[in-house]
């Protein structure tokens, strides 16, 4: 179980996505096997997003392998009413970013390494505690 302060810190990083990347509306951090860790979400069910993120990244990784396209970086889903990006946070966690049609994918790709680093450090602190 996560200590309350580490969950708060994780949520703070997720909340900062709204300021760092235009068009971000919600975000969910989950384990690689689809369990919810933390969320900044108002309208979606974070547990469902966590489970679907694991399946999505798994299918994307298998597709990349079959296409011999190299290691998977992220999966982008574009819909009529918005976009979803699922990316790995190390090998044990996933970040799902939900946004409107104006989600700035290029800004998210620029910010992703720093966000992943912040989340990874917080998750590592929680494991070592």
């Amino acid at each position: 179980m996560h200590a309350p302060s580490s969950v708060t810190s994780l949520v703070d990083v997720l909340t900062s996505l709204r300021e760092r990347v235009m068009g971000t509306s919600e975000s969910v951090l989950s384990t690689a096997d689809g369990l919810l860790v933390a969320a900044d979400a108002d309208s979606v069910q974070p547990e469902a997003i966590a489970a679907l993120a694991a399946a999505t990244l798994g299918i994307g990784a298998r597709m990349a392998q079959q296409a011999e396209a190299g290691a998977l970086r992220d999966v982008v889903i574009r819909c009529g009413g918005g976009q979803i990006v699922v990316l790995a946070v190390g090998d044990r966690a996933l970040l799902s970013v939900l946004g409107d049609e104006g989600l700035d994918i290029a800004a998210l790709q620029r910010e992703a390494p720093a966000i992943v680093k912040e989340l990874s450090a917080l998750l590592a602190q929680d494991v070592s505690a």
Side-chain angles (χ1 to χ4, degrees), residues 100-123:
D100 58 28
E101 292 178 35
L103 178 63
D104 189 343
I105 299 290
L108 180 58
Q109 289 173 333
R110 281 191 308 273
E111 292 289 334
I115 293 165
V116 166
K117 186 176 181 178
E118 287 178 65
L119 292 171
S120 295
L122 289 167
L123 290 169

Side-chain angles (χ1 to χ4, degrees), residues 10-72:
L10 290 168
V11 172
D12 289 344
V13 174
L14 297 179
T15 302
S16 77
L17 273 170
R18 292 182 195 229
E19 297 170 4
R20 295 163 82 168
V21 179
M22 185 175 74
T24 299
S25 57
E26 302 177 87
S27 54
V28 175
L29 181 66
S30 59
T31 63
D33 56 355
L35 299 175
L36 179 64
V37 175
D40 173 33
D42 298 324
S43 64
V44 298
Q45 295 177 329
E47 294 84 0
I49 297 297
L52 291 168
T56 299
L57 211 61
I59 290 169
R62 183 75 174 134
M63 177 68 90
Q65 180 184 32
Q66 285 298 310
E68 298 179 0
L72 180 68

Side-chain angles (χ1 to χ4, degrees), residues 90-101:
D91 59 356
R92 299 175 67 193
L94 306 173
L95 174 61
S96 300
V97 179
L98 292 72
D100 58 28
E101 292 178 35

